[in-house]
Amino acid sequence: MAHKKDNKSVERKVTEETKVGIISPYKPSDEIQKVISFLKKRYESMSTARDTMGILQKWDKYDQLYEPVKRTRTSTINRDFGDAKLQITSIDNEGRKVDKSKPLAYEKIQTALGQIIAQNPKLILKSFVKKNDFLKELIKNTYYYNWEVNRIIREFRKFVFNLAKYGNAFGRRYYKKVPLIIKDYDDDNKIISKMIFDPDDVIMENLDPRRILLDEKCTDPQIDGRDCFIEYILDFDDFKDKYPQELYPEAQYVKSGIFIDNQKNSNVSDEYKSGAFRKVDKDEIQVLLYENKPRCSKHLLANGVLLTKPDNPLPKGQKKLSVFMAKWTEKDPETWEGIGLCDVLEK
């Protein structure tokens, strides 16, 4: 005798299957596709402008010159040195000619780093009203405590290191909210979980210069920067922790090493498929943070998936890009490129 299927049991089964990861194909709306198409064009334009400057190749060479490591003449890296004056030739134990960078860059950068960090941060307070003198010590301790708790000293060291080495350093100061899942027991002794945000404060973050893309005509992101990209490369576990589905529902479509326009059954238009962001390895997820000051918009992309709403605004109170920059020495007032110690020593 055939039994009639229980609709409720079928619904329960579908619900359970959905929980374990059976996800429908990603079907972005036309509005979302237009946003991503715009972001791709901006990404390609900024990347082309940076490649034209040749700045990444210069920084790669300075990485090699900074640490005096012997390299055989058969190494492909030696071709990047060219006729650099920081290069010397010697003979190794097996009679082969090897190249070794002089430690000048290392010494100069470390000396500059020590001197600058030793002078910062210093706070000098003066009260304009005599009765407020007692507040000076409190404000001073709060200031130094903020540098320690919000890891500003550590990030400042990285910032100065990049500044001396490459001639440019980039940072970001923003209101950081880290999502955390905490578990506890309710009155019936059942486990419950909820999401909190910790820490909940303004912090400074040093940025990898190679992970920044600036407006092509920008000379300083805080002065005339129109828009910018910040790139983060994460593994899947880090991505899930930083961008949970409770806050970013579209994160369920993100896959390691695969951009959404390469996934099967994705009904994306040809315009959306044109162009490409930076390729990633099979275990990587490329998260791009995009900010646009004139449009007052901020977007997050993870391997081509738009995590934010199409009209997502900048955080309340933010009137310019969150990225700031410094130059060791001015090179060209019409560009953001600076001159660092390696550049000076090599000349």
Side-chain angles (χ1 to χ4, degrees), residues 248-282:
Y248 304 94
E250 303 300 309
Q252 62 181 310
Y253 301 109
V254 178
K255 297 182 180 180
S256 299
I258 301 176
F259 281 84
I260 193 63
D261 54 352
N262 294 328
Q263 295 183 27
K264 297 180 180 179
N265 303 321
S266 294
N267 65 334
V268 294
S269 66
D270 291 336
E271 181 185 6
Y272 173 67
K273 290 183 179 180
S274 64
F277 297 113
R278 191 186 76 88
K279 300 301 181 183
V280 294
D281 295 334
K282 63 179 182 178

Side-chain angles (χ1 to χ4, degrees), residues 111-136:
T111 301
L113 182 63
Q115 291 177 344
I116 293 176
I117 295 297
Q119 298 175 10
N120 289 277
K122 286 188 176 181
L123 181 64
I124 300 175
L125 296 174
K126 179 181 179 180
S127 59
F128 292 94
V129 182
K130 187 69 175 178
K131 65 180 181 179
N132 292 334
D133 279 349
F134 74 98
L135 292 175
K136 288 194 296 185

Side-chain angles (χ1 to χ4, degrees), residues 218-236:
C218 170
T219 61
D220 189 311
Q222 290 286 297
I223 298 175
D224 56 0
R226 182 165 60 94
D227 57 353
C228 69
F229 280 98
I230 306 172
E231 181 187 46
Y232 300 94
I233 301 298
L234 307 175
D235 59 31
F236 191 67

Side-chain angles (χ1 to χ4, degrees), residues 184-192:
D184 202 350
Y185 291 94
D186 61 8
D187 296 336
D188 298 326
N189 206 32
K190 293 182 179 179
I191 297 178
I192 58 174

Side-chain angles (χ1 to χ4, degrees), residues 74-241:
T74 57
S75 172
T76 57
I77 298 179
N78 283 293
R79 291 197 295 269
D80 296 333
F81 276 93
D83 296 326
K85 296 180 180 179
L86 298 186
Q87 174 187 336
I88 58 176
T89 302
S90 60
I91 306 297
D92 66 4
N93 295 332
E94 298 181 8
R96 296 176 302 180
K97 288 185 177 181
V98 297
D99 290 325
K100 181 180 180 181
S101 62
K102 296 178 182 179
L104 288 176
Y106 178 85
E107 294 173 357
K108 295 294 184 181
I109 291 173
Q110 288 300 317
T111 301
L113 182 63
Q115 291 177 344
I116 293 176
I117 295 297
Q119 298 175 10
N120 289 277
K122 286 188 176 181
L123 181 64
I124 300 175
L125 296 174
K126 179 181 179 180
S127 59
F128 292 94
V129 182
K130 187 69 175 178
K131 65 180 181 179
N132 292 334
D133 279 349
F134 74 98
L135 292 175
K136 288 194 296 185
E137 197 64 26
L138 175 62
I139 296 173
K140 183 178 179 180
N141 291 336
T142 303
Y143 172 79
Y144 288 121
Y145 178 77
N146 181 58
W147 273 73
E148 180 180 353
V149 170
N150 289 334
R151 66 177 187 176
I152 298 180
I153 284 290
R154 186 175 64 184
E155 295 300 301
F156 185 57
R157 286 180 179 274
K158 298 177 185 177
F159 186 86
V160 175
F161 176 78
N162 289 335
L163 186 63
K165 188 176 183 182
Y166 303 122
N168 290 93
F170 298 88
R172 183 172 175 241
R173 197 170 183 86
Y174 62 102
Y175 191 70
K176 185 173 184 179
K177 299 171 69 176
V178 180
L180 296 176
I181 303 296
I182 62 172
K183 296 182 179 181
D184 202 350
Y185 291 94
D186 61 8
D187 296 336
D188 298 326
N189 206 32
K190 293 182 179 179
I191 297 178
I192 58 174
S193 62
K194 64 179 180 179
M195 180 174 292
I196 65 170
F197 297 96
D198 182 53
D200 211 8
D201 204 353
V202 177
I203 70 165
M204 172 184 169
E205 176 186 9
N206 176 69
L207 298 173
D208 184 346
R210 292 174 176 80
R211 303 297 187 189
I212 304 293
L213 286 175
L214 295 177
D215 172 19
E216 302 91 325
K217 298 180 181 179
C218 170
T219 61
D220 189 311
Q222 290 286 297
I223 298 175
D224 56 0
R226 182 165 60 94
D227 57 353
C228 69
F229 280 98
I230 306 172
E231 181 187 46
Y232 300 94
I233 301 298
L234 307 175
D235 59 31
F236 191 67
D237 290 336
D238 284 343
F239 174 77
K240 288 194 299 182
D241 291 339

